[in-house]
Amino acid sequence: MPKWKQKLFELKWKRYHPDAFSRFAHLLESERLPADQLRERQEEARRKIVRHAMEHTAFYRQHYAASGFEVGDIGTDGWFEKLPPVTKAHLRSHFEEMTDLSQKQFLRLSTTGGSTGTPTKTGFDGRLPEEIYNWRILNWFGVHPGEDRGSLWRATRTTWRQKFVNRALWWPTRHLQLDASFMTESSLRAFLKQFNRLRPACLQGYVGAISQLARFVIDNQIEAWSPKFVWVTSAPLSPVQRKLIADAFHAPVCDQYGSCEIRWIAQQCPEGKGLHVNVEHVHLEYVDEENHPVPAGVYGRTLLTNLEDMVFPLIRYENGDRGRWLLESCPCGRSLPLIDTVKGRESESFVLPSGKTINGEYLTTIFDATPDLARGFRVIQHRDLSITVEYIPSSDQDVPRIESVIRAFSAKIGGEVPVESRVVHEIAHDRGKLRFVVRER
Ligand SMILES: [Zn+2]
């Protein structure tokens, strides 16, 4: 990337967020700090945000008072785990009270996706340069934030005017976009043509949409430009999809985890060992039914605390995902702790007639041992509790082996319900988000 382009990019950013670059420099330092130093900083940040929320929002004052927690308890033994979690229902019914009204002028709104339930409104502090967490990912893969990118998102700028303004704002950086909600053969072809001409440093987008593009590249034997890396987000990434994307673009794949309420939670480094948590920004916990943290390696419900947002504090917010900490550290030497790739959502667990539950995490791993056999799959539980496994075989010869994997799965759940299999040509996705465990209700 030419130096003048870098300089121009930095000058523009300094107008919007004067401190973004100094904050970013701090991030790159802190990811190499000793782990106990990071933990100390986190504890300090948690005390600050909880105190602030209790003193400046009606919601947290009442929410904590109802469980007997007072400001004076902050910092005492095991204090943080005594705080009752915040749920989506709280967001819906107490939005105003959760806001620090004295700083309301900085509040910005965003709406969480509707694919997993009711869309929910959430708020954030518009002054925070969250982009620096985006830059961190690019930096890990050797990309400057001012370099060109190709992206597959749901289009938010649809008019010519909006598109023009967006392009002018980003200039001289080019952002090539493909609307992930309506992908057709001709739109895929047109995108790839421009993609090969522009040769962007990075390709990013929804897991489902990028997988579909990768499938298209391979099926049509298209020679696609190989970016420095492909960055996917918004849904669990299966080993099958990872291989497909890497094969299509001959590039490493970065799995990033975020939710609409807190976008920059964790991401993979080029070593690809689990996802590094952005501990400067978010405190992540995996907890049991009593909201106590579970040991590393054990799956639990996700609670998230935004450590930087004083305008719309989110403390121990339950986002509905399940996950676990990894025991190992990453060979890259960064001390940001590692979580496992995020598998399924709580709602996606299946229930059998005997009352036994099959975990969503397990359901997504059926083909993990044999990622070459199926190009894609989806497990569906119907209302009568019977199960269908849909899959796209890599080739006709693979069908018998896939069928035996499915029979093994059926045996594993004790044959309690019929398990059928179905060969499909495409796995349906929901606005670019692929859900590979579906429970019909
Ligand atoms: Zn690493």
Side-chain angles (χ1 to χ4, degrees):
M1 185 189 183
K3 272 268 174 292
W4 70 270
K5 250 178 137 177
Q6 279 190 28
K7 269 272 155 296
L8 194 56
F9 178 86
E10 284 164 24
L11 276 173
K12 283 168 117 181
W13 264 95
K14 279 181 182 151
R15 275 182 65 99
Y16 296 117
H17 289 293
D19 61 344
F21 285 94
S22 59
R23 278 182 179 239
F24 179 52
H26 280 129
L27 268 195
L28 296 184
E29 269 168 38
S30 79
E31 66 191 33
R32 304 254 176 206
L33 283 177
D36 52 348
Q37 214 170 317
L38 280 178
R39 273 195 293 273
E40 268 169 40
R41 284 188 181 190
Q42 259 227 336
E43 165 75 17
E44 210 174 297
R46 270 181 285 155
R47 289 180 190 191
K48 196 172 150 200
I49 190 87
V50 172
R51 181 179 294 277
H52 180 87
M54 291 180 80
E55 287 171 354
H56 293 88
T57 75
F59 171 77
Y60 283 102
R61 211 165 24 241
Q62 286 155 11
H63 191 48
Y64 294 162
S67 68
F69 189 90
E70 294 168 4
V71 174
D73 295 326
I74 296 173
T76 57
D77 231 16
W79 68 279
F80 193 75
E81 289 150 28
K82 290 177 190 153
L83 301 175
V86 172
T87 62
K88 279 198 166 67
H90 288 129
L91 268 187
R92 278 196 291 274
S93 53
H94 297 285
F95 186 83
E96 278 287 305
E97 299 101 297
M98 286 176 80
T99 311
D100 172 0
L101 295 174
S102 68
Q103 305 192 75
K104 205 179 173 186
Q105 70 271 32
F106 304 119
L107 180 74
R108 299 288 174 274
L109 302 179
S110 87
T111 309
T112 68
S115 62
T116 49
T118 332
T120 309
K121 190 170 68 168
T122 179
F124 62 95
D125 180 350
R127 290 168 302 177
L128 289 173
E130 285 197 9
E131 285 293 308
I132 59 174
Y133 295 99
N134 174 331
W135 298 352
R136 170 181 260 172
I137 302 174
L138 296 170
N139 173 276
W140 288 3
F141 287 85
V143 176
H144 185 276
E147 284 190 83
D148 298 335
R149 295 187 225 174
S151 54
L152 278 70
W153 303 119
R154 198 160 10 122
T156 47
R157 295 171 194 88
T158 45
T159 66
W160 283 107
R161 194 186 131 76
Q162 286 170 327
K163 283 181 192 166
F164 177 79
V165 169
N166 186 53
R167 196 163 165 176
L169 282 175
W170 275 102
W171 185 87
T173 302
R174 294 278 316 267
H175 271 204
L176 189 60
Q177 301 203 17
L178 172 63
D179 185 356
S181 15
F182 305 100
M183 301 201 314
T184 62
E185 190 177 331
S186 66
S187 75
L188 288 172
R189 258 188 217 290
F191 176 82
L192 284 165
K193 209 169 155 188
Q194 285 181 297
F195 182 75
N196 280 355
R197 203 180 306 140
L198 183 65
R199 303 179 159 205
C202 161
L203 172 66
Q204 61 186 151
Y206 298 129
V207 170
I210 297 267
S211 301
Q212 194 176 330
L213 180 69
R215 182 76 269 146
F216 186 79
V217 165
I218 288 179
D219 283 351
N220 294 282
Q221 297 174 330
I222 295 168
E223 196 71 50
W225 161 248
S226 172
K228 289 187 189 160
F229 76 113
V230 183
W231 161 0
V232 295
T233 189
S234 294
L237 172 72
S238 75
V240 176
Q241 290 168 311
R242 173 182 287 280
K243 188 176 178 307
L244 174 73
I245 297 166
D247 286 351
F249 295 100
H250 306 286
V253 181
C254 170
D255 185 3
Q256 189 233 333
Y257 172 51
S259 62
C260 296
E261 302 86 350
I262 299 183
R263 283 193 295 165
W264 306 101
I265 301 174
Q267 63 277 328
Q268 279 178 321
C269 73
E271 300 280 347
K273 302 262 178 217
L275 284 69
H276 286 286
V277 177
N278 295 317
V279 294
E280 302 90 343
H281 180 57
V282 59
H283 176 64
L284 184 153
E285 299 169 88
Y286 291 123
V287 298
D288 61 19
E289 290 315 310
E290 271 80 49
N291 302 318
H292 296 308
V294 294
V298 177
Y299 282 104
R301 285 156 46 233
T302 305
L303 299 185
L304 299 164
T305 300
N306 187 327
L307 298 170
E308 299 186 299
D309 198 319
M310 300 283 169
V311 177
F312 194 81
L314 272 181
I315 300 167
R316 303 199 93 199
Y317 173 72
E318 180 163 11
N319 75 344
D321 289 344
R322 290 177 64 83
R324 62 174 178 175
W325 291 101
L326 290 182
L327 291 160
E328 56 264 56
S329 54
C330 188
C332 74
R334 292 181 183 90
S335 34
L336 305 175
L338 292 178
I339 54 168
D340 200 354
T341 49
V342 176
K343 302 265 162 61
R345 298 206 170 228
E346 225 166 353
S347 56
E348 289 162 345
S349 296
F350 291 178
V351 177
L352 298 176
S354 63
K356 197 163 112 186
T357 305
I358 319 172
N359 269 332
E361 292 94 29
Y362 164 66
L363 290 166
T364 61
T365 61
I366 300 177
F367 291 102
D368 271 14
T370 51
D372 288 326
L373 296 183
R375 293 170 180 184
F377 71 95
R378 186 159 79 135
V379 196
I380 305 157
Q381 184 172 43
H382 308 284
R383 286 198 186 85
D384 66 359
L385 303 186
S386 68
I387 293 171
T388 302
V389 183
E390 292 182 343
Y391 65 91
I392 313 170
S394 295
S395 73
D396 289 345
Q397 289 95 298
D398 292 322
V399 171
R401 282 181 63 201
I402 296 175
E403 289 294 330
S404 81
V405 171
I406 295 171
R407 276 197 301 279
F409 161 68
S410 173
K412 196 150 183 177
I413 63 168
E416 269 195 55
V417 292
V419 176
E420 286 190 3
S421 61
R422 189 188 305 149
V423 174
V424 293
H425 297 293
E426 197 185 355
I427 302 292
H429 63 74
D430 179 10
R431 286 177 296 169
K433 294 189 180 191
L434 202 64
R435 296 167 64 204
F436 41 174
V437 178
V438 178
R439 190 169 150 200
E440 292 181 345
R441 285 159 200 280

